[in-house]
Amino acid sequence: MLVLASLGSWLPFAIIAIVIIVFSILFTTRYQQKRNRNYLLTCICSTSLIIALLTASLLPTDVILVSFMKNSNGTFKEWTQNQTTRDHIQKYVEIGYYALYGLIIAMAFLINPFLFFYYEEKEEEDQTAAKRICGAIKWTIGLLIFLIILLILGIFVPQLATLPTDNSTSEWDNVKYLINHFDSSRLQDSISFAIFTLSIIGFFLLTIYTGYGSIAFPLTLIRGKRSARLQQETIEEQRAAIQSQIQIIKKRYPRNVTMPPRDKRKLEELEQKNIALSRNEESIKIVRRSFFFKCRFIYRPLQIIFGVLLLLLAILIFVSLLLSNINKSIHFVNFKQIFAQGNKTLPNPIDIVLTWTGQFYPMSYIVLSLLLTYIIVTSIFGLQQLGIWYLWVRMYRFSRGRTKPQAILMLCSLMMFIVVAINIFVYLLIPQYSIYGDQHYAITANNGTVIIKQCTQYVTTDQCQMTVMGRIILRFFYKVWFFGAVYFCLSWLYLVVFLISGLIKLFRNRESNIQEFTIERLLQDDNDEEDPLIQ
């Protein structure tokens, strides 16, 4: 029975892992520059995405394992009666989390930065390979020192926490029952400190990119793109006007007449605009001739239906997180306890849906996996749409088939940060289900009646088995409460970004059918292989 339960839990994870590997490789090759494709870069970026996505995909397996341990009547199954057996089953999940977290630290602080700075040095003229490697190592050492400082802090800072005593009658009693025990090795604390420090960065990125993408993606599907015919007519009109201005300037200064610098600059600018519009015109013509465009009347209704369903999911996520945060605010005691508060008063729609689907294996696994997939896909959409900015300057943009090596490395690194923060986000979104799954427990009333209740964060009983991720999060957030307080505040920022992004997307013009060229983009990409791409 133990083997069958393990197989039922890990088989979906194995299938998801294969999908992740294929997706990561296709994604990386899709976004890289076609002319300057580098197989080492493909390997490193694909590996980064695989590690990050596998970490997120462990959560459904973690939840379904603890759900498998109990019957619907609240009793443990025969093969999980022993606490030692339950801990042994979860030990493999815990090893998986820490192994993947360790790989994320190595990729984020060592391998990815080294390649990034190597390609930055490569853009400098007259740089030999040895000089580029030395320059990359120099910058990577700085990040390595920062990592060492984080690991050292992780050894000592969590040990400073004051644990509640056994005779404590405060609200901390609930937390004690949640965590079962506070013991963890210094190595675990050290890795957790480094990971949760990274996840603060990732959670901030998640509030911006995922907050934007989660509402912008379904609205984009519903609204569709601008009319290709009208767009082509507009481009032709703009080209005709610019060509007319070019002819006027040229007629004003025949070959034997010297052109003033001011008019020469204006002529050059007009010619560059004409070239950019010419590229846009050619791109839109290719789009209109494509088979995919001609089938738009077939797939467009399906696109709208799919967009509406995703919009409902986005609103459900927003409402669930809002209710969860309001519940924490209503029962707020102090920031040291806020991370452990669940759905004490207000309902949580996603929690309810996942708990109900837990009765039908593997529906809950599929629903939770789809939720994680939606968060990841909308994060990628947000990164692609917004790009990476430093203050008001756009550092990198992401275009399929035309993304620079530094940009694709940055994209994969940011996705690693975001995915690390997703487990925290899911905990804040569905605190009950992410900790206990669909477990129930039995209590005997005064009249001898057996009552079946759901396992929640406020249950003071040993009849509920926590997930590994729930134990890691609660144990660490109790010891270093500052992290939990930061995540709670950032979750409110996510809600604000979601609302603002939705309003902007509703009143903004619909997207173009092509990746439009501007003068700046034309000058930036003039050495790249060019082929029109449908967005």
Side-chain angles (χ1 to χ4, degrees):
M1 189 62 186
L2 178 59
V3 175
L4 291 176
S6 299
L7 182 63
S9 302
W10 287 104
L11 183 59
F13 177 78
I15 296 172
I16 293 294
I18 295 172
V19 175
I20 286 173
I21 293 171
V22 173
F23 166 79
S24 301
I25 295 172
L26 292 178
F27 177 84
T28 306
T29 53
R30 179 71 166 163
Y31 273 82
Q32 273 192 75
Q33 289 177 333
K34 292 185 177 180
R35 177 177 294 179
N36 301 321
R37 182 163 294 169
N38 186 300
Y39 291 104
L40 176 61
L41 184 69
T42 303
C43 180
I44 296 301
C45 291
S46 299
T47 303
S48 300
L49 286 176
I50 290 169
I51 293 171
L53 295 177
L54 283 178
T55 306
S57 65
L58 257 183
L59 183 60
T61 302
D62 189 8
V63 173
I64 205 170
L65 266 175
V66 296
S67 299
F68 263 172
M69 292 180 182
K70 303 205 74 176
N71 296 306
S72 57
N73 61 3
T75 60
F76 282 103
K77 293 180 180 177
E78 185 178 351
W79 52 276
T80 57
Q81 292 289 337
N82 193 322
Q83 180 66 47
T84 305
T85 303
R86 299 199 293 268
D87 292 339
H88 178 73
I89 294 171
Q90 288 188 296
K91 190 65 179 178
Y92 294 104
V93 179
E94 186 175 14
I95 291 172
Y97 275 124
Y98 281 110
L100 290 170
Y101 279 154
L103 290 173
I104 286 175
I105 291 174
M107 299 296 293
F109 282 97
L110 299 176
I111 299 176
N112 284 11
F114 174 80
L115 273 182
F116 177 85
F117 292 121
Y118 175 81
Y119 282 107
E120 282 290 308
E121 296 285 337
K122 193 175 182 179
E123 290 191 350
E124 299 291 333
E125 296 182 0
D126 302 327
Q127 286 277 3
T128 62
K131 288 183 178 180
R132 292 197 296 267
I133 293 173
C134 290
I137 291 175
K138 178 181 66 176
W139 290 105
T140 307
I141 287 175
L143 287 175
L144 181 60
I145 293 172
F146 178 67
L147 172 60
I148 293 172
I149 293 173
L150 281 182
L151 294 175
I152 293 174
L153 287 174
I155 293 174
F156 296 103
V157 172
Q159 306 302 322
L160 302 178
T162 303
L163 305 184
T165 59
D166 291 336
N167 59 359
S168 173
T169 58
S170 68
E171 287 292 326
W172 286 117
D173 288 336
N174 290 328
V175 179
K176 286 195 297 180
Y177 279 99
L178 279 175
I179 303 173
N180 297 326
H181 60 82
F182 292 91
D183 296 332
S184 59
S185 69
R186 290 179 181 266
L187 177 61
Q188 289 175 325
D189 285 337
S190 183
I191 295 175
S192 298
F193 191 88
I195 282 295
F196 285 120
T197 301
L198 286 181
S199 65
I200 285 183
I201 302 171
F203 207 101
F204 177 77
L205 296 171
L206 185 144
T207 60
I208 304 300
Y209 292 110
T210 313
Y212 169 81
S214 60
I215 185 64
F217 182 58
L219 288 178
T220 298
L221 292 177
I222 295 171
R223 299 185 68 197
K225 299 182 183 297
R226 284 181 278 174
S227 169
R229 179 181 59 81
L230 294 177
Q231 193 174 352
Q232 182 179 346
E233 291 176 358
T234 302
I235 293 173
E236 290 172 350
E237 291 174 2
Q238 291 175 342
R239 282 199 68 194
I242 289 175
Q243 288 173 354
S244 175
Q245 294 180 51
I246 291 174
Q247 291 301 321
I248 291 173
I249 294 175
K250 287 184 175 180
K251 287 180 181 179
R252 192 184 303 167
Y253 303 101
R255 291 186 178 181
N256 56 346
V257 179
T258 305
M259 187 179 296
R262 180 180 177 181
D263 287 341
K264 186 179 292 186
R265 286 194 301 269
K266 185 177 181 180
L267 180 62
E268 290 177 353
E269 183 179 344
L270 289 171
E271 288 176 340
Q272 288 175 346
K273 285 183 179 179
N274 185 51
I275 294 172
L277 287 172
S278 176
R279 302 283 277 275
N280 291 335
E281 185 179 7
E282 183 63 27
S283 297
I284 200 70
K285 286 180 179 178
I286 292 175
V287 168
R288 295 190 68 186
R289 291 196 299 264
S290 67
F291 175 78
F292 184 76
F293 181 79
K294 292 177 181 178
C295 296
R296 65 190 182 280
F297 297 110
I298 299 175
Y299 71 78
R300 180 66 185 135
L302 298 176
Q303 190 180 47
I304 294 174
I305 295 172
F306 188 59
V308 170
L309 293 175
L310 292 183
L311 179 61
L312 293 176
L313 176 58
I315 294 173
L316 187 64
I317 292 173
F318 176 85
V319 171
S320 296
L321 184 60
L322 178 63
L323 291 175
S324 180
N325 282 0
I326 292 175
N327 186 82
K328 286 181 171 63
S329 301
I330 291 174
H331 303 286
F332 178 82
V333 178
N334 56 50
F335 279 113
K336 288 186 177 182
Q337 300 178 38
I338 201 164
F339 63 87
Q341 293 175 356
N343 310 321
K344 193 170 186 178
T345 305
L346 301 176
N348 188 307
I350 298 182
D351 244 339
I352 295 171
V353 170
L354 285 169
T355 303
W356 179 77
T357 55
Q359 305 172 53
F360 315 101
Y361 175 83
M363 281 302 299
S364 61
Y365 187 96
I366 295 173
V367 172
L368 183 55
S369 298
L370 289 176
L371 176 64
L372 291 172
T373 302
Y374 181 75
I375 295 172
I376 292 168
V377 169
T378 53
S379 301
I380 295 173
F381 181 84
L383 281 165
Q384 181 187 4
Q385 292 286 309
L386 300 178
I388 299 176
W389 293 76
Y390 179 72
L391 298 179
W392 57 86
V393 179
R394 186 194 291 269
M395 294 177 61
Y396 300 110
R397 66 169 72 243
F398 306 110
S399 303
R400 284 174 287 183
R402 302 172 61 251
T403 307
K404 297 172 63 177
Q406 300 96 308
I408 194 72
L409 278 166
M410 182 69 76
L411 173 64
C412 292
S413 296
L414 293 183
M415 277 306 301
M416 288 180 71
F417 292 158
I418 290 174
V419 170
V420 167
I422 282 177
N423 284 340
I424 313 294
F425 180 76
V426 170
Y427 166 72
L428 291 172
L429 181 64
I430 45 174
Q432 177 180 304
Y433 189 79
S434 62
I435 294 177
Y436 288 120
D438 61 344
Q439 294 180 74
H440 293 74
Y441 69 100
I443 59 171
T444 304
N446 294 332
N447 58 2
T449 306
V450 177
I451 303 174
I452 307 301
K453 290 189 175 183
Q454 203 167 23
C455 292
T456 67
Q457 293 93 322
Y458 298 97
V459 173
T460 55
T461 178
D462 294 328
Q463 296 184 47
C464 297
Q465 185 74 17
M466 289 185 64
T467 60
V468 175
M469 178 51 64
R471 198 159 56 236
I472 292 173
I473 290 175
L474 291 175
R475 182 174 57 203
F476 183 80
F477 284 4
Y478 173 78
K479 292 183 176 182
V480 190
W481 64 266
F482 170 78
F483 284 84
V486 171
Y487 292 131
F488 175 69
C489 295
L490 286 176
S491 65
W492 283 105
L493 178 61
Y494 172 91
L495 298 173
V496 173
V497 171
F498 183 95
L499 288 175
I500 294 175
S501 301
L503 293 174
I504 292 174
K505 199 66 180 177
L506 282 174
F507 294 103
R508 195 177 181 181
N509 291 332
R510 290 185 295 173
E511 290 186 6
S512 172
N513 286 274
I514 58 172
Q515 295 180 348
E516 294 185 351
F517 286 94
T518 60
I519 296 176
E520 294 78 9
R521 184 172 176 183
L522 197 67
L523 294 174
Q524 180 182 358
D525 302 330
D526 58 355
N527 294 325
D528 295 340
E529 181 184 6
E530 210 35 74
D531 64 329
L533 295 167
I534 303 174
Q535 284 188 337

